[in-house]
């Protein structure tokens, strides 16, 4: 049977995989952006890519120290980002891209809430950090919604 610390580390690994997927998902969305017309959106998406990297930097010390780049966890999070690979002649509209991001981030917030309710993290500072990241994701959703035409 796993100890509470091991279970919590696995939950943190879940959040690390989630943020890696966010980084990759936003990167795919950026490839579809019309830089001439959507420079405001491009700047925001790049900011959220940096946010995902920052979140991971904060979480990694609490994980299991295993690499999960292409684990089952990452694969399940990648499924949230239904962004097709950029192909010539295939364009996605701004609102379509925003809806993909909103859908993925709503699922990400649910994962954060699950971790917060199902784990028994005894470190108050870690719990506050995860809550803060979750709240920032909720703000991301609002910001995405506000960018729709």
């Amino acid at each position: 049977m796993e100890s509470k610390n091991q279970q919590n580390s696995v939950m943190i690994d879940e959040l690390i995989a989630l943020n890696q997927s966010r980084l990759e998902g936003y990167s795919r969305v950026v490839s579809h952006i019309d830089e001439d017309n959507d420079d405001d959106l491009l700047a925001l998406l790049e900011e959220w890519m940096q946010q995902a990297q920052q979140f991971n930097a904060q979480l990694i010390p609490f994980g299991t120290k295993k690499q999960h780049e292409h684990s089952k966890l990452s694969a399940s999070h990648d499924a949230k980002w239904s962004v097709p690979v950029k192909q010539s002649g295939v364009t996605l509209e701004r609102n379509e891209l925003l809806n993909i991001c909103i859908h993925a981030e709503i699922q990400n917030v649910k994962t954060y809430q699950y971790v917060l309710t199902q784990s028994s993290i005894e470190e108050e500072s870690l719990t506050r950090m995860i809550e803060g990241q979750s709240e920032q994701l909720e703000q991301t959703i609002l910001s995405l919604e506000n960018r729709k035409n």
Side-chain angles (χ1 to χ4, degrees):
M1 189 155 112
E2 288 184 305
S3 72
K4 281 185 182 180
N5 283 344
Q6 287 172 317
Q7 289 172 337
N8 289 338
S9 292
V10 169
M11 293 261 198
I12 299 300
D13 287 348
E14 179 84 6
L15 297 180
I16 293 167
L18 177 152
N19 280 295
Q20 184 61 36
S21 180
R22 283 182 73 218
L23 181 62
E24 293 164 9
Y26 278 123
S27 179
R28 287 195 306 269
V29 170
V30 163
S31 74
H32 289 275
I33 296 287
D34 178 356
E35 293 179 28
D36 296 331
N37 296 321
D38 289 323
D39 56 338
D40 65 319
L41 182 57
L42 181 62
L44 265 178
L45 296 179
E46 288 174 347
E47 181 181 321
W48 292 325
M49 289 167 64
Q50 290 174 352
Q51 180 190 65
Q53 290 175 318
Q54 175 192 356
F55 285 2
N56 270 353
Q58 293 170 341
L59 292 166
I60 286 172
F62 301 99
T64 62
K65 312 284 191 270
K66 293 180 183 176
Q67 296 298 320
H68 286 291
E69 287 183 29
H70 296 291
S71 69
K72 291 181 207 169
L73 295 176
S74 292
S76 70
H77 293 298
D78 287 344
K80 297 174 189 172
W81 292 90
S82 57
V83 185
V85 175
K86 177 79 173 178
Q87 298 173 0
S88 61
V90 176
T91 59
L92 297 175
E93 298 295 322
R94 178 184 172 106
N95 280 351
E96 189 177 359
L97 293 170
L98 287 166
N99 285 333
I100 290 168
C101 296
I102 291 166
H103 174 75
E105 292 294 28
I106 288 170
Q107 298 306 311
N108 292 338
V109 167
K110 288 179 182 178
T111 301
Y112 265 83
Q113 294 304 316
Y114 176 82
V115 168
L116 285 165
T117 58
Q118 298 301 313
S119 64
S120 52
I121 299 170
E122 294 174 8
E123 270 187 67
E124 190 176 324
S125 61
L126 178 57
T127 301
R128 280 197 313 268
M129 180 184 64
I130 294 170
E131 288 171 344
Q133 289 183 1
S134 179
E135 289 167 9
Q136 287 182 49
L137 289 178
E138 291 173 13
Q139 291 301 313
T140 298
I141 294 166
L142 293 174
S143 186
L144 287 164
E145 289 280 359
N146 290 334
R147 298 285 184 291
K148 289 171 115 178
N149 295 341

